[in-house]
Amino acid sequence: MDFEFHQTVWITLGDGTRLAAAIWMPDGEGPFPAVLEYLPYRRADQTAARDQSTYPAFAGAGIVGVRLDSRGQGDSQGLFDDEYSPQELADACEVIAWIAAQKWSNGAVGMMGISWGGFNALQVAAMRPPALKGVISIASTADRYNDDIHYKGGCLLSANISWAGTMLAFNSRPPDPEVVGDRWEGIWRERLEAQPFLLETWLGHQRRDDYWKHGSVCEDWAAIQCPVWAIAGWGDGYRNCPATLAGHLQAPIKAMTGPWIHKYPHFAWPHPRVDFLSKAIDWWHHWLSGQQRGVDEWPIYSAYMTEAAIPRTWRDADGGHWIGTDWPGVGALSEWPLGANGVLGADPAGDVIVATPQHCGTMSGEFFTSAPDADLPGDQVVDDALSVCWQTPVLDDAVEILGRPTLTLAVAIDQRQGNLIARLVDVHPDGTAALISRGVLNLCHRAGNETPAAMTPGRTETVTVRLDETAYRVRPGHRLRLALSTAYWPMVLPSPAPVVATIAADAVLKLPHPGDCQSIDFPAPPEDTLPNYPVFSPGHSKRWVEHDLSAGQVRYSVSQDTGHLEVPWNRMQTHETREETWEIDPADPVRSKGFLEFTTRRARDGWDARTEARIWFSATATTFEARAELLAFSGTAQLARREWTFSVPRDHM
């Protein structure tokens, strides 16, 4: 089936605000089902290639694709306020009703997206707009506090600061003069004047309060009544949602987790990829058109059982196989004591002291992974050398894990606040060590995230560290290692003071194993699913660590460049960069700091618009300190400048 592409279709909301949508319309009179993807990332340039890989296939199969810029983003009118705000979700419900009322619509609408678009798809589903009949949510979360880019286990993530800088840059980009006309500069000025710096908001909510409960669908599992297909990747920080939804939703649910980074499954790394588009078309026609497409026969949970992952500079593929189960819960549990002499599974003998240098964690990789390179965790031997470890003898039999490992231990620390980080590691025969799963816990949050309480120095308490969801097979001839540390920088920002933890002798690691599973297979997609755009200068993704022995500092640096590209059908040129440098004294956490810089550029035929965003972040023993600036340029002339400076008390962090 052929289709028509409409780059800009205006959808007018009840308050008069006009939102800009791209629509892929199948040929014919219809009526057709429709799928909405709704997010702040610009449809006309930022996600153009991704959209071009997806929506023509949907339209060719008789499904309308609606790709919408949210309020105040791209070419849409209005002003942005916050991620997943009540205004954003209310706008989505209006748009769904608008789609269902069009003469070409059969009245059934689906909602789909990855990351932001996957988040708000679940949140809108919980609001139950009548025309919403199904959701595909990729790389998302059910719990905005514990499973997003801001906090984890009560620990502050450096990604919280990085994401605030990213959104400062993203939100500052202008509308397209060819779409909005001569008013583009006035619209841009208005946006820049109203621009929020979201880090101040996010640091103002260090507990799991109502701010984070809003949009966390785990608050009421029964609220979602339409069918959900949840997808994630083991190479991404957003890996817990599919199994969590499969275990809790009362609505029809299918879940899938592959080996991938933060990308759609038909063009993600590491391989193997799956033919997501054909399965998505089956999903949509099943729930939106009433066609029998075999969706009911899919396993409730499909997981790629990774094995012998090799942490190399570029991970093209991971070994393993697909399994399917109709119950993603624990098939069986095995207990592995943290034994004497560092032997995992042996009888324990005596307390163990954990006092980690502050720079442990440089092999953590990114929480939000965009490339299968140093975004992914590196060889864990670097961090293991700075941690306290227990490992098995060489395995005679494979150990298969499916689910969320837990570590229960009795611990005392010498401070009122401290973090514990547990990592499960596959040690290859050559000594190479691949991360299987990790869990982080701010000990002040040991009884929950809503009302943290300080530790009493020297008093032993029993706590549980819950590691992330995994499906992993440790081969015979390998070893299984558990690494424990009190620091994990720069992923987890440090405690106010160095921590000495005493671990009592009865600590136990519990591993969940597969229950009744079947081997399954997925067809691979075509090799070239993403279009190639003209490149004026190539991009890059780099990370490196420096030890300044004279200054007593460790520096962790990030440099990312999208490259200078052009979108063929609208001639829009794009170029964005990210530079970060984090520093820490291995002996003094309050000497940690970060400097982050982001640039964005849009240009066409003599028109040139650029923004620069910078953040300076540091901490004392009692406060978090931040300063930011945003500059906007039209050609060579500075159009606007915004500055923010604030200090936020540390709340049990």
Side-chain angles (χ1 to χ4, degrees), residues 270-292:
H271 291 74
R273 297 167 173 172
V274 301
D275 190 359
F276 165 75
L277 296 179
S278 65
K279 292 188 71 66
I281 288 167
D282 287 342
W283 175 266
W284 295 129
H285 277 310
H286 183 94
W287 295 112
L288 307 184
S289 305
Q291 300 178 12
Q292 293 302 311

Side-chain angles (χ1 to χ4, degrees), residues 231-239 242 256-274 301-310 315-323 369 371-373 375-377 435-436 469-472 522:
I231 303 172
W234 300 130
D236 189 21
Y238 295 102
R239 59 194 287 173
M256 167 190 282
T257 308
W260 313 301
I261 57 173
H262 197 82
K263 300 290 182 183
Y264 271 84
H266 57 300
F267 57 81
W269 281 277
H271 291 74
R273 297 167 173 172
V274 301
Y301 185 41
S302 304
Y304 189 73
M305 180 71 73
T306 305
E307 61 179 285
I310 301 174
R315 254 167 77 179
D316 188 70
D318 278 352
H321 62 281
W322 284 98
I323 59 172
T369 51
D373 51 19
D375 272 23
L376 292 168
L435 183 68
I436 298 173
E469 192 79 29
T470 191
Y472 199 97
F522 292 110

